[in-house]
Amino acid sequence: MPSRHRVLLPELRRGLYRWRVPRWRMAGLLCAVLVIVLLPYLATRTSHTDAMEAGDLVTHSSEVKSLTYRIAYVTRSSEAAAYRLLEGDKEPSLADSARQAGNDVPALLGQLSEMTRDNATQQAAIGALGNVVNGRLALLEQALARIQHGDHAGAAAALHDAGTLFRMDQQIETVVRNEGSLLMERRAHARRSAFQSALVLTITSVAQILLLSIIVFVSERQIARRMRAETRESQAVHRSQMIVQAVREPIALLNAQLRTLLVNTAFSELYGLPQDEQREQRALQEVGEGAWTDGALLQRLHDVLLHDRELWDYEVVQRTVGGIDRHVMVNARRLQQHEGDEPVLLLTVSDVTARALVEQQVKELNRQLEGKVEQISDVNRELEAFSYSVSHDLRAPLRHIAGFTGKLKRHLEEHLDGTAAHYLDVIATSSTRMAQLIDDLLVFSRLGRGALRLQGVDMQSLVDEARALAESEAGERKIEWTVGALPIVIGDENMLRTVWQNLIGNAVKYTGRREVAQIAIGVERDRDGEYVFTVADNGAGFNMEYAGKLFGVFQRLHRASEFPGNGIGLANVRRIVARHGGRVWAEAEPERGASFHFSLPATELAEARTTRRLS
């Protein structure tokens, strides 16, 4: 599947951004809710309990005081009734009133003692009160008994002793005062409890407000994040849709039943779908004019969906819009949207019709090329036969001419005049020159046909070798050499040796008229990274108008009488350099020397070897 479609895959997945609250945030929110609910409840319950307890204590103290006063009241009321009986009052209820204290007070004292059981001070005061009250009740009983027997004097003395010996005002006051002090303490405690309850409620309210503020802030922040995320997601979906629609390669999204969920404009244009039906679900088999009826292709698409496989570069010929048959390559990949959702199929189509036509043309050209190669092979075989013929058939007559010319000269030696001898010398020289030309042509032919034996070639050593050969042929001539550091290149060593021997030999030859010959050899790197070698001299030079003929076969710019040679050396140089992927050219001025340049490609291996040698 093309790489640009893989970039679109994340945005083509249909699931929108789902907001998930992190677990720690959810736990914090639940804790905050519990605190908001439970804290007021606990504070209110504690306050209510304290208030109820304080109220109960106040009521308890009031009941204790009331009960104490009731004991005093009942006791004095019974004594008053006894005094009235002593004075002769005949009211029927006075006897019962006089005995009421004896009936009620013990129970009241017991109740009072029970109510103050948790207070030792009150227990002591109530015990003293009970002793006094019991003493008065005992004297009251005596007085009532004497009144019954008519002993009014004894009854009066008993009542007087009860009021004198057993005064209960102090004990009543002590009980009431103790309960009052306790009541004040309880009221103070109730006030403190109320204050604490109010404080707790205030703190609880502040905590509620703070927690609610935090919840609102976090909620608003999360909502804002979610809205921004949804906005970004919406923008991303919109961008992805724009990208999908803008892509010039047909794209379609299919469901498990191979019905179109989404197609882009290129898909619609290729298969002739109206623009308003791009989002309508249509069976893939109904798209185009029978373009998707290939059973094998449909089965492969089903396999992609069922087994999560990928379909790569499935080539098929389809009938597209306008009834045109096109070569297309189909790629398909399953996309899983979300857990539980039905997987979908991403389908891309690449129109490779042009490539198929080109491949067909290439095959045809290859077929034609094979024919040309066969023809060239035939021509080469003919050239080989011609070279063999030139090498053997032409040399035999030349040898005969040269041989019989020598014999004729020796046979007629006594009868030859100067003219005849000159004619015979010209015939012998011409036959020798023709034999040399034949040898040069054979060398030139072999240079174009032989296979290159590529290896690392040290150009420095080849130059030194060619220089030594040229100096041996120059005799006693004075030559000044300037040779720079030369690299190692990849090439045929024997052929490159021929190049240097020709160029350096020409430099030595064409500086023959100079008293001191100056020859410079160097190398540079051009913009393309190639090596450019140069052989410059201060020799005869030449007119640049004729530079185009310089590298032709048997082309010479000087007469043979001035400088010997056959005019094929530079042609060999050009052919060798061309076979190595380089070029050759020259620059010169008449009588001011010439510079011959040739270039060779630089390779990494040759550069590495050159670097090691120079270091």
Side-chain angles (χ1 to χ4, degrees):
M1 189 175 296
S3 59
R4 61 177 177 273
H5 297 147
R6 297 182 182 178
V7 175
L8 295 177
L9 289 181
E11 295 192 359
L12 289 175
R13 301 182 187 277
R14 211 186 72 189
L16 296 176
Y17 173 77
R18 290 186 176 181
W19 181 51
R20 295 182 174 89
V21 180
R23 293 183 178 179
W24 65 267
R25 189 176 298 166
M26 179 64 73
L29 184 62
L30 292 176
C31 291
V33 172
L34 290 176
V35 169
I36 291 174
V37 174
L38 292 178
L39 189 60
Y41 169 75
L42 294 176
T44 304
R45 181 177 178 181
T46 302
S47 176
H48 177 71
T49 302
D50 292 343
M52 291 293 293
E53 290 179 355
D56 291 341
L57 292 175
V58 171
T59 303
H60 178 75
S61 296
S62 298
E63 289 178 352
V64 169
K65 291 170 67 176
S66 176
L67 188 57
T68 302
Y69 285 126
R70 179 173 176 76
I71 291 172
Y73 171 76
V74 172
T75 301
R76 287 192 176 94
S77 178
S78 296
E79 289 178 348
Y83 277 111
R84 290 175 63 186
L85 288 174
L86 184 60
E87 291 176 354
D89 192 345
K90 301 299 185 181
E91 185 177 348
S93 61
L94 286 177
D96 293 334
S97 297
R99 290 182 174 82
Q100 183 178 2
N103 296 329
D104 295 342
V105 167
L108 294 175
L109 285 172
Q111 185 178 355
L112 183 61
S113 178
E114 181 67 25
M115 292 177 65
T116 59
R117 181 183 298 177
D118 57 344
N119 194 330
T121 303
Q122 282 292 73
Q123 286 287 304
I126 292 172
L129 176 61
N131 292 332
V132 173
V133 171
N134 288 331
R136 290 179 72 115
L137 290 178
L139 292 175
L140 178 60
E141 287 295 330
Q142 290 179 9
L144 291 176
R146 289 179 179 180
I147 290 173
Q148 258 182 342
H149 293 88
D151 185 4
H152 292 279
L159 290 175
H160 179 269
D161 291 338
T164 303
L165 298 176
F166 298 100
R167 294 182 177 274
M168 59 180 181
D169 294 338
Q170 184 177 358
Q171 284 73 21
I172 293 295
E173 183 64 24
T174 299
V175 173
V176 172
R177 185 173 62 252
N178 289 340
E179 197 63 35
S181 299
L182 185 60
L183 180 60
M184 292 179 63
E185 292 178 0
R186 290 172 175 173
R187 285 178 176 174
H189 176 70
R191 286 193 297 270
R192 287 195 301 270
S193 299
F195 174 77
Q196 292 175 355
S197 298
L199 181 62
V200 170
L201 288 175
T202 302
I203 295 174
T204 303
S205 300
V206 172
Q208 284 182 312
I209 294 173
L210 181 61
L211 289 173
L212 287 173
S213 300
I214 293 174
I215 291 174
V216 171
F217 174 76
V218 172
S219 299
E220 289 295 328
R221 185 177 179 182
Q222 192 63 38
I223 291 172
R225 287 182 179 177
R226 180 177 181 180
M227 292 179 65
R228 287 195 299 269
E230 290 178 350
T231 301
R232 288 194 298 268
E233 182 66 22
S234 177
Q235 293 174 351
V237 171
H238 181 66
R239 284 195 301 268
S240 66
Q241 291 177 351
M242 291 177 60
I243 293 172
V244 169
Q245 294 299 329
V247 170
R248 293 308 303 162
E249 193 159 349
I251 299 175
L253 202 64
L254 310 176
N255 62 10
Q257 291 74 39
L258 297 184
R259 299 185 67 86
T260 59
L261 299 174
L262 174 67
V263 297
N264 68 345
T265 303
F267 192 93
S268 301
E269 292 175 352
L270 182 63
Y271 296 104
L273 291 178
Q275 292 294 323
D276 55 353
E277 296 183 10
Q278 286 189 8
R279 295 184 179 274
E280 292 185 4
Q281 291 192 9
R282 301 181 59 175
L284 188 62
Q285 295 87 335
E286 301 174 1
V287 175
E289 302 176 5
W292 298 95
T293 56
D294 188 339
L297 176 58
L298 295 176
Q299 183 61 44
R300 295 288 295 274
L301 295 179
H302 280 294
D303 290 342
V304 171
L305 277 169
L306 293 177
H307 306 293
D308 195 14
R309 298 174 179 171
E310 292 189 8
L311 181 64
W312 293 94
D313 297 339
Y314 186 91
E315 190 167 353
V316 65
V317 178
Q318 291 184 337
R319 180 67 57 87
T320 59
V321 63
I324 301 175
D325 290 336
R326 297 180 184 270
H327 293 263
V328 299
M329 295 183 68
V330 180
N331 292 276
R333 180 179 181 182
R334 189 176 82 170
L335 299 180
Q336 186 66 42
Q337 302 174 89
H338 295 292
E339 295 182 1
D341 291 345
E342 189 179 57
V344 297
L345 185 72
L346 177 64
L347 182 72
T348 61
V349 180
S350 301
D351 187 357
V352 294
T353 304
R355 192 191 72 181
L357 294 176
V358 170
E359 289 178 351
Q360 185 177 357
Q361 293 176 358
V362 169
K363 291 180 180 178
E364 179 63 23
L365 291 175
N366 286 335
R367 188 185 63 79
Q368 296 178 5
L369 182 60
E370 290 175 357
K372 297 294 183 181
V373 169
E374 185 64 27
Q375 294 178 6
I376 292 173
S377 299
D378 294 339
V379 171
N380 284 334
R381 286 192 292 271
E382 292 177 0
L383 287 175
E384 290 288 345
F386 175 74
S387 298
Y388 181 84
S389 175
V390 169
S391 176
H392 294 81
D393 297 344
L394 294 183
R395 285 185 180 185
L398 288 176
R399 286 195 300 271
H400 292 163
I401 292 173
F404 281 102
T405 300
K407 290 181 179 181
L408 182 61
K409 186 175 181 180
R410 286 191 300 272
H411 181 70
L412 300 175
E413 185 176 1
E414 296 179 356
H415 306 285
L416 284 177
D417 57 8
T419 303
H422 172 68
Y423 289 161
L424 290 176
D425 290 340
V426 170
I427 292 172
T429 303
S430 297
S431 62
T432 301
R433 190 172 189 286
M434 186 173 182
Q436 183 63 42
L437 289 175
I438 291 172
D439 290 339
D440 291 342
L441 279 174
L442 289 175
V443 170
F444 182 78
S445 176
R446 284 195 295 270
L447 289 176
R449 298 195 309 273
L452 293 177
R453 291 180 294 179
L454 298 179
Q455 59 182 339
V457 180
D458 188 352
M459 302 295 268
Q460 194 79 50
S461 63
L462 293 185
V463 167
D464 293 341
E465 181 182 339
R467 173 183 166 184
L469 179 63
E471 286 179 338
S472 65
E473 295 176 353
E476 300 298 327
R477 286 181 52 194
K478 187 176 182 180
I479 303 175
E480 292 183 356
W481 297 90
T482 303
V483 181
L486 301 178
I488 295 175
V489 300
I490 299 298
D492 188 302
E493 185 176 5
N494 290 328
M495 289 187 179
L496 293 179
R497 179 181 289 107
T498 301
V499 170
W500 285 114
Q501 289 178 354
N502 276 282
L503 293 179
I504 293 177
N506 282 348
V508 172
K509 178 172 65 174
Y510 287 100
T511 58
R513 297 180 180 179
R514 298 291 184 262
E515 183 178 352
V516 178
Q518 296 178 350
I519 301 175
I521 302 172
V523 65
E524 294 180 354
R525 296 288 292 271
D526 64 2
R527 295 179 180 178
D528 298 330
E530 291 184 330
Y531 289 120
V532 178
F533 299 91
T534 302
V535 179
D537 61 65
N538 62 341
F542 57 86
N543 192 336
M544 289 296 292
E545 292 182 5
Y546 307 106
K549 300 180 179 181
L550 192 62
F551 297 96
V553 180
F554 302 135
Q555 295 292 328
R556 293 177 53 84
L557 301 184
H558 300 86
R559 292 190 301 273
S561 59
E562 295 178 330
F563 300 101
N566 296 325
I568 200 170
L570 292 180
N572 289 337
V573 169
R574 184 178 65 174
R575 173 163 286 194
I576 292 172
V577 172
R579 292 198 64 187
H580 282 77
R583 55 194 179 91
V584 61
W585 68 98
E587 300 170 349
E589 291 184 23
E591 300 302 329
R592 300 191 65 178
S595 297
F596 287 83
H597 311 277
F598 69 95
S599 66
L600 291 177
T603 62
E604 295 181 359
L605 177 60
E607 287 183 349
R609 292 181 177 178
T610 302
T611 302
R612 287 197 300 269
R613 190 190 68 182
L614 295 178
S615 61

